[in-house]
Amino acid sequence: MEALVIKHLGDPTIPSNSSEASPFIHSKTQQIPQLNSPKAVRIRVKATSLNYANYLQIMGKYQEKPQFPFIPGADYSGIVDEIGAEVTMFKVGDAVCSFAALGTYAHFVVAHEGELLRVPDGCDLVAAGALPVAYGTSHLALVHRAQLQKNQVLLVLGAAGGVGVSAVQIGKICGAIVIAVARGAEKVQFLKSLGVDHVVDLTQGNVTESVKGFLKAWKLKGVDVLYDPVGGKLAKETLRLLNWGAQILVIGFASGEVPVIPANIALVKNWTIHGLYWGSYNIHRRAVLQDSLKELLSWLARGLIKIHISHVFTLSEAHLAFSALKERKAIGKVMITLDDDSTARAKL
């Protein structure tokens, strides 16, 4: 089978097989994984998602560092190809989605039946493959941890990225007043199309002044929930916009800089700071994670959320996929499909 195999750390925007500097090879001779238990299911992967964590992991900057060689990848969708003798929840031909610690940048992956989720009839399989990590992160953060309420003010940084778009949509479902921060006119227009109440374009002005102007016009005191996948200076600047009793959701550090949240101010303002490492829920709170994903799939089936995929690539174009992510070209999700090269092309 075909797969992307990471042989050493490096920049994944360098084409595979082009030079020793490339961290991966595009292998066409990987062994198809076999069922490893009576409850195991083999899935033929239709689509797998590109998340910022995948980029960091290949660069050696992620908290989890697998041994070489390894096949990267996390969330995916596909069709059940083979089932173990004791599998009762699925049959060959079923459409499913899930996530894995590694291994989804390949034509086949094996999972325990309890880890799989049935994709509702009528849902696009590529969209389902984009859902678990990005939308799962935002759902657990906003619904489970922050318990976002109607008419609360939600400020989303990096709002045009994969997790940012999901946070905006879930915020609107919760009935929150959503303020989004992004860079560039195209991203601003897209966010407005999602019904965002106020968008700050980082290329056009100061975040603090823009948000304060909106809050004053709407007679609002401040931000109740800060959703931060960016970190850095932007996170520091937006702290001054937070209400007494506000909640800060620490999602990631796409800026490359980990911000310092002053403990004395957190004390005086009664802030709650939530660290949200989505993948660890599979170890510590698996039932919570599974319930979250089931609700998201029901929302997808009912049209409450619509997953925006701005770029689709094949395995042989993986370096282009990582470039789109690295250069902030994407609005929403970047996906890799495992169809033939002739049928899946990049949407630029």
Side-chain angles (χ1 to χ4, degrees):
M1 70 171 183
E2 291 186 42
L4 288 184
V5 181
I6 306 301
K7 55 185 180 177
H8 60 72
L9 299 178
D11 184 352
T13 65
I14 300 173
S16 62
N17 306 335
S18 66
S19 73
E20 286 300 313
S22 176
F24 54 76
I25 58 173
H26 176 205
S27 172
K28 297 184 179 181
T29 58
Q30 289 296 115
Q31 187 175 10
I32 294 175
Q34 301 301 306
L35 301 183
N36 50 21
S37 82
K39 288 284 190 179
V41 177
R42 186 168 66 206
I43 302 97
R44 185 177 184 91
V45 178
K46 165 69 175 180
T48 183
S49 182
L50 223 71
N51 300 294
Y52 194 64
N54 304 128
Y55 173 78
L56 292 177
Q57 189 175 59
I58 296 171
M59 292 286 289
K61 297 180 179 180
Y62 196 59
Q63 55 260 38
E64 295 179 355
K65 297 177 171 59
Q67 293 184 340
F68 302 108
F70 68 90
I71 299 171
D75 42 353
Y76 65 94
S77 62
I79 302 297
V80 172
D81 177 73
E82 185 179 355
I83 61 174
E86 297 179 11
V87 170
T88 60
M89 298 168 62
F90 300 97
K91 64 182 184 301
V92 172
D94 283 346
V96 296
C97 68
S98 188
F99 58 94
L102 292 168
T104 68
Y105 291 6
H107 273 277
F108 292 94
V109 65
V110 169
H112 187 280
E113 69 168 337
E115 299 172 351
L116 298 172
L117 295 157
R118 190 180 304 277
V119 176
D121 291 342
C123 288
D124 179 70
L125 258 185
V126 178
L131 180 139
V133 172
Y135 283 79
T137 295
S138 294
H139 187 273
L140 283 182
L142 295 172
V143 177
H144 179 66
R145 295 290 289 276
Q147 298 182 16
L148 184 66
Q149 301 296 309
K150 184 178 180 180
N151 293 326
Q152 283 191 315
V153 179
L154 168 65
L155 176 59
V156 180
L157 307 184
V163 291
V165 170
S166 67
V168 164
Q169 292 189 49
I170 292 170
K172 295 303 295 183
I173 290 172
C174 292
I177 298 165
V178 179
I179 302 171
V181 179
R183 187 179 297 275
E186 183 183 6
K187 294 178 179 179
V188 167
Q189 289 303 311
F190 171 74
L191 290 165
K192 287 181 178 179
S193 75
L194 297 180
V196 168
D197 298 287
H198 181 65
V199 186
V200 181
D201 184 348
L202 289 173
T203 67
Q204 297 299 316
N206 180 274
V207 173
T208 302
E209 291 178 1
S210 178
V211 174
K212 281 185 174 180
F214 169 78
L215 294 172
K216 182 178 180 179
W218 281 47
K219 298 181 180 180
L220 298 166
K221 292 182 179 180
V223 171
D224 298 303
V225 179
L226 171 63
Y227 183 96
D228 177 24
V230 178
K233 294 180 180 179
L234 184 59
K236 295 177 185 177
E237 182 178 351
T238 52
L239 292 179
R240 67 189 70 178
L241 298 167
L242 301 187
N243 266 334
W244 183 95
Q247 300 185 74
I248 301 169
L249 293 161
V250 181
I251 307 300
F253 314 107
S255 68
E257 179 185 345
V258 178
V260 175
I261 302 173
N264 59 327
I265 299 178
L267 183 152
V268 172
K269 293 291 189 72
N270 273 38
W271 289 343
T272 300
I273 302 166
H274 302 273
L276 199 288
Y277 175 25
W278 181 82
S280 64
Y281 269 80
N282 197 40
I283 300 170
H284 301 286
R285 297 288 188 274
R286 176 174 288 187
V288 173
L289 185 148
Q290 290 288 327
D291 287 345
S292 168
L293 292 177
K294 288 175 183 176
E295 181 166 49
L296 284 167
L297 282 168
S298 75
W299 286 358
L300 182 65
R302 292 155 55 195
L304 295 178
I305 55 175
K306 295 182 179 179
I307 298 174
H308 183 78
I309 299 171
S310 66
H311 295 72
V312 179
F313 297 94
T314 62
L315 277 179
S316 63
E317 301 167 326
H319 63 289
L320 298 176
F322 281 107
S323 294
L325 201 69
K326 179 181 179 182
E327 297 169 12
R328 306 288 195 270
K329 293 179 179 179
I331 299 176
K333 293 294 297 179
V334 177
M335 300 296 293
I336 291 178
T337 60
L338 288 102
D339 297 315
D340 294 335
D341 285 2
S342 60
T343 60
R345 305 307 310 159
K347 294 195 293 185
L348 300 175

